[in-house]
């Protein structure tokens, strides 16, 4: 199968909520930032242009190479590391970023990956069922769909994709496997979940693809670990900004921000505090910031973005 792959030919990723991110992070010459999800370096370019120093991480070595090339003119200010942000507590201090002015998480995948059939993220393009951000390790989506039991698959589709037809889809996948490509999987799902007539609604494979991607990359545990570590790396007054693209991520961010901006977290009926929990964050955005209509028209990928910002106390 010839799945063409050439990142240079692809339109660069358009950074989401760019003005809002720069306004919240407020980069100054010499200040230190961690971009935990460097991607094509769109947000980081703004930080570097303001004179800040940036440590950019990405789990995807190919995307990191694109950013490195695009940002080559800032080589004195930028450090690029191929790493999962789950490891930021160890990676950042090793590169001199132990106490920073801001950390940005712009979650999910960059449009470089969505647009590239060979990565297997899109049900619209025929490609191998891969879906790993980091192709140097871990199981692929094909490994999951071709080896898990129907029950285990259904749990993934339900838990990570909120797919109401999880059991039926999982049963059909098990009947039809082995499945090797994105379009094979999409047509198995379509056969169980016929597309609604007319405009609107999502493609029947959307939730299953999201669920498999979340499972393949262990995205929610990485996020929980990465956010916790980022809070520890911020200086007092430092800014934590997180853009999420689906409700599971946003819920996790919201709950973590709530817990870490609260003092005692003992059950409300407990008369004496035994938790010793202290607030370490102050919420800046009570409700998530979403892109305006003009941004959604310009960049439809931004339509599900939700930005939450907090300050380190
Ligand atoms: C939405 S893109 C970031 C786009 C970037 N802000 C820009 O403006 O170009 C998200 C990036 O995060 C990376 N990523 C996702 N999960 C990651 C993780 N756990 N650790 C490190 N990088 C991750 C993806 O490979 C992708 O390149």
């Amino acid at each position: 199968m010839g799945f063409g792959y050439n990142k240079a030919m692809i339109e660069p990723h358009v950074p989401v909520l760019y003005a809002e991110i720069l306004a919240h992070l407020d980069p100054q010459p010499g200040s230190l930032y961690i971009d935990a999800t460097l991607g094509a370096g769109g947000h980081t370019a703004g930080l570097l242009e303001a004179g800040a120093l940036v440590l950019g991480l990405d789990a995807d070595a190919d995307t990191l190479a694109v950013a490195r090339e695009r940002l080559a003119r800032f080589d004195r200010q930028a450090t690029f590391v191929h790493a999962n942000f789950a490891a930021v507590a160890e990676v950042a201090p090793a590169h001199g970023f132990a106490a920073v002015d801001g950390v940005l998480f712009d979650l999910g995948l960059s449009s470089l990956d969505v647009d590239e059939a060979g990565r297997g993220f899109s049900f619209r393009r025929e490609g191998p069922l891969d879906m790993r951000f980091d192709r140097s390790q871990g199981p692929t989506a094909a490994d999951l769909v071709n080896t898990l039991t129907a029950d285990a698959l259904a749990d993934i589709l339900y838990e990570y994709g909120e797919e109401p037809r999880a059991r039926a889809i999982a049963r059909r996948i098990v009947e039809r496997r082995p499945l090797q490509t994105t379009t094979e999987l999409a047509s198995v799902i379509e056969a169980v979940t016929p597309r609604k007539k007319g405009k609107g609604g999502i493609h029947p494979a959307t939730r299953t693809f999201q669920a498999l991607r979340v499972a393949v990359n262990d995205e929610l545990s990485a996020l929980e670990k990465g956010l916790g570590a980022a809070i520890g790396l911020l200086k007092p007054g430092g800014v934590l900004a997180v853009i999420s693209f689906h409700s599971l991520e946003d819920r996790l961010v919201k709950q973590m921000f709530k817990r870490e901006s609260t003092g005692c977290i003992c059950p409300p009926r407990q008369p004496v505090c035994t938790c010793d929990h202290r607030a370490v964050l102050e919420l800046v955005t009570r409700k998530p910031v979403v892109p305006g209509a003009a941004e959604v028209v310009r960049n439809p990928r931004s339509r599900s973005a939700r930005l939450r910002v907090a300050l380190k106390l």
Side-chain angles (χ1 to χ4, degrees):
M1 256 171 297
F3 300 118
Y5 167 55
N6 182 356
K7 284 202 165 168
M9 286 161 50
I10 298 165
E11 278 292 295
H13 177 94
V14 180
V16 169
L17 291 166
Y18 178 82
E20 291 81 351
I21 288 294
L22 285 195
H24 282 292
L25 293 183
D26 189 24
Q28 303 297 321
S31 51
L32 298 181
Y33 289 88
I34 299 172
D35 185 344
T37 52
L38 181 67
H43 293 106
T44 278
L47 301 174
L48 294 168
E49 270 155 19
L53 308 181
V54 181
L55 172 67
L57 309 185
D58 207 293
D60 181 334
D62 298 328
T63 303
L64 193 77
V66 172
R68 199 191 287 276
E69 200 178 312
R70 287 184 74 197
L71 301 172
R73 66 187 188 284
F74 297 108
D75 64 340
R76 288 158 165 261
Q77 288 164 254
T79 307
F80 305 106
V81 180
H82 177 218
N84 193 302
F85 57 60
V88 69
E90 298 83 52
V91 173
H95 290 86
F97 287 71
V100 301
D101 299 281
V103 184
L104 168 64
F105 290 81
D106 175 16
L107 299 168
L109 59 169
S110 85
S111 22
L112 299 175
D113 289 327
V114 187
D115 293 342
E116 197 207 305
R119 302 301 298 269
F121 288 113
S122 171
F123 45 79
R124 298 185 198 286
R125 295 164 199 270
E126 185 178 19
L129 274 174
D130 189 324
M131 300 196 196
R132 288 169 302 168
F133 290 136
D134 184 349
R135 285 190 288 179
S136 67
Q137 53 182 307
T140 63
D143 293 333
L144 300 189
V145 300
N146 292 321
T147 61
L148 292 180
T149 62
D151 279 347
L153 262 178
D155 288 347
I156 287 178
L157 304 194
Y158 189 72
E159 200 179 323
Y160 296 150
E162 300 176 312
E163 170 56 69
R165 300 182 64 81
R167 307 248 152 239
I169 295 173
R171 267 199 311 272
R172 185 64 70 101
I173 288 175
V174 170
E175 279 164 24
R176 293 294 160 90
R177 67 193 189 190
L179 300 173
Q180 301 302 348
T181 69
T182 49
T183 43
E184 271 174 0
L185 175 60
S187 57
V188 167
I189 299 164
E190 274 185 286
V192 191
T193 326
R195 198 197 283 256
K196 287 201 185 92
K197 290 246 174 345
K199 282 194 170 176
I202 56 171
H203 187 284
T206 306
R207 292 196 173 94
T208 297
F209 271 64
Q210 174 190 302
L212 289 172
R213 198 198 82 200
V214 170
V216 161
N217 297 293
D218 201 8
E219 288 181 34
L220 298 180
S221 0
L223 180 56
E224 186 151 20
K225 218 168 156 195
L227 284 177
I231 294 171
L233 292 164
L234 284 166
K235 291 177 187 164
V239 184
L240 176 58
V242 188
I243 304 175
S244 55
F245 288 87
H246 59 77
S247 53
L248 297 175
E249 284 170 348
D250 185 53
R251 202 175 305 147
L252 193 156
V253 178
K254 181 178 163 186
Q255 285 169 355
M256 186 133 183
F257 275 26
K258 184 164 180 226
R259 190 175 63 242
E260 298 310 327
S261 60
T262 305
C264 168
I265 52 169
C266 289
R269 295 158 73 111
Q270 188 172 308
V272 182
C273 170
T274 50
C275 69
D276 281 337
H277 190 264
R278 281 185 308 126
V280 287
L281 293 180
E282 179 190 329
L283 300 186
V284 175
T285 51
R286 298 243 149 226
K287 292 229 158 85
V289 177
V290 296
E295 176 166 0
V296 175
V297 170
R298 236 181 16 253
N299 181 14
R301 203 191 77 87
S302 71
R303 69 188 175 281
S304 45
R306 286 184 147 43
L307 165 65
R308 294 184 187 269
V309 183
L311 289 185
K312 176 82 177 280
L313 289 173

